[in-house]
């Protein structure tokens, strides 16, 4: 029987899935790593230790745990966090830690500089994306200005899946979905790099080739086979960014399908019938030809609950700590006994695109308890999620909404989103996420699966419906949530200046 290997490199861990051609998961594995935060607004990974070591060790573990012959693996798919900016030599040696996606806000000045130089309207029209902390171009300009020695030694600027695929096959490749996040380098209409813009920031040949996600772009080399346990010659697809792979894993494929990904950060992808450009969000080709997507993302999510547990509670054991916090939060009523929180603890991505936004806790009294604060934190993420979903609905009403990611196991979080946004969410049987999506995409690439097979492999098993009793309370709170940000933007900037 043929098998498919899928591995996803996340912000705080890597996950792997071995899927057989019948659609049965034969093995899963996980490896934790850290997101390095060397200073305010900075977020980095060590590409060799966090990305490649994660892939290598998970590949070996999945093969051993499943007991299959590596030669039975028909194809490999990899997804990973993105968009990131990793400078490497021509041989692929990292020259510094990878600068991560929108949670890294170091390039604020470069965003303003490039908007002035290129024209913000022109960038949006050509790329479908405004320049934000999510964009790769400003991070590359930051590198040139602040680390000129590294910039001079650089031969390529790559992201996570591209780095892994190169280690496996020797080719530098990015899929169209991933390439569209290299703003302002990608031309959405031409579906190709825009050389004139690239040349104003870095050499054109620093960027990888572009392919479709499921395209087999190479085969596992002998050296990579020794490191990973895979058979030399195993097919490798181009792969994609983790959020898109996660969307595929829960059946987001057709116009009107929308994913809410509950992860370290929250992420949203909606498939559209046509290309839509909206300055609040990001646009991209989806994973297959003639499909389009609009995306959004919060700068926080599960990462904020991790921060609260580690820094504010004194609770040590991760699993029991979250259970304790959940029990305490469930004793707090909707509205958290009057506490309202802005979850902008790492700036904010969509729809406000404000790297200077700050977290705020409003309404605290001596009568409040830890469970009230934890519930307010979850509800704040829920209000930020609704802010995005309302914008998506203006573009195209959602046909079906799917919940994805590890946070689906947090019933308070998912229920708060349904209640606050007044949406019904579908939950699939498997929530292993982007690793499953990567294995499934590899199966499409080698002809084992077609996209519609996901309904058989990962059927819908439940729905999260809004609690109508909470609607009025959350309507009032949501209006206050948006006003809290608008009324405190000046204070946020004074905080940054100090």
């Amino acid at each position: 029987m043929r098998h498919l290997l899928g591995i996803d490199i996340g912000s705080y861990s890597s996950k792997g899935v071995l899927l057989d051609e019948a659609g049965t998961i034969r093995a899963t594995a996980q490896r934790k790593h850290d997101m390095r935060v060397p200073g305010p607004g900075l977020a980095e990974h060590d590409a060799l230790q966090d990305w490649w070591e994660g892939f290598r060790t998970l590949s070996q573990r999945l093969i051993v745990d499943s007991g299959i012959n590596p030669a039975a693996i028909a194809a490999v798919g990899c997804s990973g966090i993105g968009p990131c900016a990793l400078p490497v030599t021509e041989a692929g040696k990292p020259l510094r830690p990878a600068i991560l996606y929108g949670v890294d806000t170091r390039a604020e000045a470069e965003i303003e500089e490039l908007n002035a130089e290129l024209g913000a309207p022109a960038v949006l029209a050509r790329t479908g994306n405004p320049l934000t902390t999510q964009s790769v171009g400003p991070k590359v300009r930051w590198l040139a200005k602040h680390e000129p020695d590294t910039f001079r030694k650089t031969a390529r600027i790559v992201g996570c899946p591209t780095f892994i695929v190169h280690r496996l096959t020797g080719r530098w490749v990015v899929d169209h979905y991933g390439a569209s996040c290299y703003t302002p380098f990608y031309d959405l209409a031409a579906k190709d790099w825009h050389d004139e813009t690239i040349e104003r920031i870095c050499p054109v040949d620093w960027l990888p080739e572009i392919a479709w996600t499921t395209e087999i772009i190479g085969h596992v080399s002998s050296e990579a086979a020794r490191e990973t346990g895979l058979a030399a010659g195993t097919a490798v697809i181009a792969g994609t960014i983790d959020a898109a792979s996660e969307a595929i894993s829960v059946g987001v494929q057709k116009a009107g399908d929308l994913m809410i990904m509950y992860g370290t950060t929250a992420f949203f992808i909606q498939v559209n019938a046509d290309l839509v450009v909206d300055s609040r969000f990001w646009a991209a080709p989806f994973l297959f030809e003639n499909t389009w997507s609009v995306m959004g993302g919060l700068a926080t999510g599960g990462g904020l609950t991790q921060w609260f547990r580690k820094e504010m509670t004194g609770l040590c054991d991760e699993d029991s700590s979250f259970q304790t916090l959940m029990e305490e939060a469930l004793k707090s009523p909707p509205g958290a006994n009057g506490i309202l929180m802005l979850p902008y603890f790492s700036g904010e991505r969509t729809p406000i695109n404000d790297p200077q936004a700050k977290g705020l806790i409003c309404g605290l009294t001596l009568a409040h308890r830890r469970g009230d604060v934890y519930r307010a934190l979850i509800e704040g993420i829920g209000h930020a999620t609704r802010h995005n979903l309302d914008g998506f609905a203006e573009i195209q009403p959602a046909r079906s909404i799917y919940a994805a990611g590890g946070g689906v196991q947090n019933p308070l979080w998912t229920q708060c989103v349904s209640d606050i946004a007044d949406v019904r969410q579908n939950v699939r049987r498997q929530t292993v996420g982007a690793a499953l999506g990567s294995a499934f995409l590899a199966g499409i690439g080698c002809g084992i699966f077609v996209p519609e097979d996901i309904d058989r492999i990962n059927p819908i098993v439940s729905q999260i419906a809004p609690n109508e009793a909470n609607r009025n309370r959350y309507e009032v709170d949501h209006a206050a949530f948006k006003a809290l940000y608008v009324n405190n933007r000046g204070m946020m900037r004074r905080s940054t200046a100090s």
Side-chain angles (χ1 to χ4, degrees):
M1 179 177 282
R2 295 173 296 175
H3 294 75
L4 295 315
L5 181 72
I7 291 178
D8 174 67
I9 312 297
S11 298
Y12 289 98
S13 69
S14 300
K15 298 177 182 178
V17 166
L18 191 67
L19 189 68
D20 68 26
E21 63 183 322
T24 302
I25 294 178
R26 294 288 303 275
T28 63
Q30 182 173 358
R31 176 185 181 269
K32 293 186 177 182
H33 55 249
D34 288 329
M35 177 192 289
R36 294 154 180 80
V37 183
L42 307 181
E44 300 179 343
H45 272 172
D46 183 309
L48 288 175
Q49 290 300 313
D50 301 329
W51 297 355
W52 177 243
E53 190 66 13
F55 185 96
R56 188 187 71 78
T57 57
L58 290 181
S59 175
Q60 291 182 341
R61 194 182 308 168
L62 290 165
I63 292 169
V64 170
D65 290 351
S66 65
I68 69 163
N69 185 332
I73 297 175
V76 175
C78 179
S79 58
I81 55 170
C84 303
L86 173 69
V88 297
T89 66
E90 186 58 44
K93 178 183 177 182
L95 292 168
R96 72 170 323 281
I99 302 172
L100 301 192
Y101 51 101
V103 296
D104 187 296
T105 62
R106 74 182 69 198
E108 290 180 58
E110 288 71 28
I111 291 169
E112 294 182 8
E113 182 179 297
L114 287 171
N115 272 328
E117 185 177 323
L118 302 174
V123 170
L124 180 64
R126 186 178 61 255
T127 70
N129 296 284
L131 284 169
T132 68
T133 60
Q134 189 82 347
S135 307
V136 169
K139 299 177 194 294
V140 179
R141 176 64 67 86
W142 181 93
L143 190 68
K145 290 167 61 177
H146 295 272
E147 297 182 6
D149 288 344
T150 299
F151 190 81
R152 280 193 294 269
K153 296 174 183 175
T154 299
R156 302 273 180 176
I157 292 287
V158 300
C160 179
T162 298
F163 182 75
I164 298 295
V165 166
H166 178 263
R167 298 283 297 198
L168 291 171
T169 70
R171 285 187 66 186
W172 297 109
V173 179
V174 65
D175 74 318
H176 281 276
Y177 179 90
S180 71
C181 302
Y182 276 61
T183 311
F185 298 149
Y186 186 79
D187 187 313
L188 204 55
K191 293 183 180 175
D192 201 354
W193 299 125
H194 192 262
D195 291 357
E196 181 181 344
T197 300
I198 298 169
E199 288 170 348
R200 301 177 77 154
I201 301 173
C202 68
V204 172
D205 61 6
W206 280 17
L207 300 183
E209 303 172 55
I210 306 175
W212 288 103
T213 307
T214 57
E215 187 176 335
I216 294 174
I217 55 83
H219 298 83
V220 175
S221 68
S222 298
E223 181 180 353
R226 286 192 295 272
E227 291 195 60
T228 62
L230 293 163
T234 303
V236 179
I237 64 168
T240 191
I241 291 177
D242 55 357
S245 187
E246 186 114 32
I248 285 294
S249 78
V250 294
V252 172
Q253 299 177 2
K254 300 176 182 177
D257 287 347
L258 187 152
M259 176 196 70
I260 302 174
M261 186 181 79
Y262 297 86
T264 301
T265 65
F267 201 87
F268 320 102
I269 297 180
Q270 181 170 281
V271 179
N272 290 344
D274 302 299
L275 170 62
V276 176
V277 175
D278 187 307
S279 62
R280 295 172 294 178
F281 302 112
W282 311 312
F286 197 47
L287 305 192
F288 313 114
E289 293 188 62
N290 302 316
T291 60
W292 299 95
S293 59
V294 60
M295 299 93 65
L298 308 185
T300 57
L304 186 51
T305 63
Q306 285 277 11
W307 170 85
F308 183 79
R309 179 192 68 81
K310 289 172 62 177
E311 304 297 337
M312 297 293 162
T313 69
L315 300 172
C316 298
D317 180 76
E318 184 172 341
D319 292 336
S320 64
S321 296
F322 279 120
Q323 182 61 35
T324 298
L325 290 171
M326 181 71 65
E327 292 171 357
E328 293 177 359
L330 288 172
K331 295 176 183 176
S332 180
N337 281 317
I339 302 177
L340 191 62
M341 181 179 291
L342 294 184
Y344 306 150
F345 283 55
S346 188
E348 185 55 297
R349 296 192 287 177
T350 62
I352 65 173
N353 293 302
D354 185 355
Q356 294 185 0
K358 298 291 183 294
L360 290 175
I361 304 174
C362 181
L364 279 173
T365 72
L366 292 176
H368 285 114
R369 305 187 65 81
R370 184 170 65 186
D372 297 315
V373 179
Y374 188 69
R375 183 178 187 107
L377 183 152
I378 296 293
E379 289 181 346
I381 298 169
H383 286 293
T385 297
R386 175 178 170 178
H387 204 178
N388 280 271
L389 298 186
D390 285 350
F392 279 16
E394 293 169 11
I395 295 169
Q396 175 178 287
R399 182 181 74 99
S400 299
I401 297 177
Y402 299 91
V408 174
Q409 306 304 318
N410 182 331
L412 176 61
W413 189 0
T414 54
Q415 189 63 55
C416 280
V417 166
S418 278
D419 291 352
I420 292 168
D422 192 27
V423 296
R424 185 179 298 269
Q425 303 176 71
N426 297 304
V427 179
R428 299 273 182 176
R429 180 173 62 197
Q430 299 290 348
T431 58
V432 289
L436 174 61
S438 291
F440 183 69
L441 289 166
I444 294 174
C446 66
I448 291 176
F449 299 135
V450 295
E452 293 75 17
D453 284 335
I454 198 65
D455 290 322
R456 170 178 58 83
I457 293 170
N458 196 14
I460 295 171
V461 293
S462 64
Q463 289 189 326
I464 305 164
N467 185 336
E468 294 297 323
N470 297 332
R471 175 177 292 185
N472 290 339
R473 172 74 213 203
Y474 283 135
E475 282 295 323
V476 171
D477 283 358
H478 188 65
F481 174 88
K482 291 192 291 185
L484 189 63
Y485 167 69
V486 171
N487 293 335
N488 286 280
R489 279 183 292 187
M491 179 275 291
M492 292 175 180
R493 279 148 183 78
R494 286 197 299 274
S495 174
T496 299
S498 64

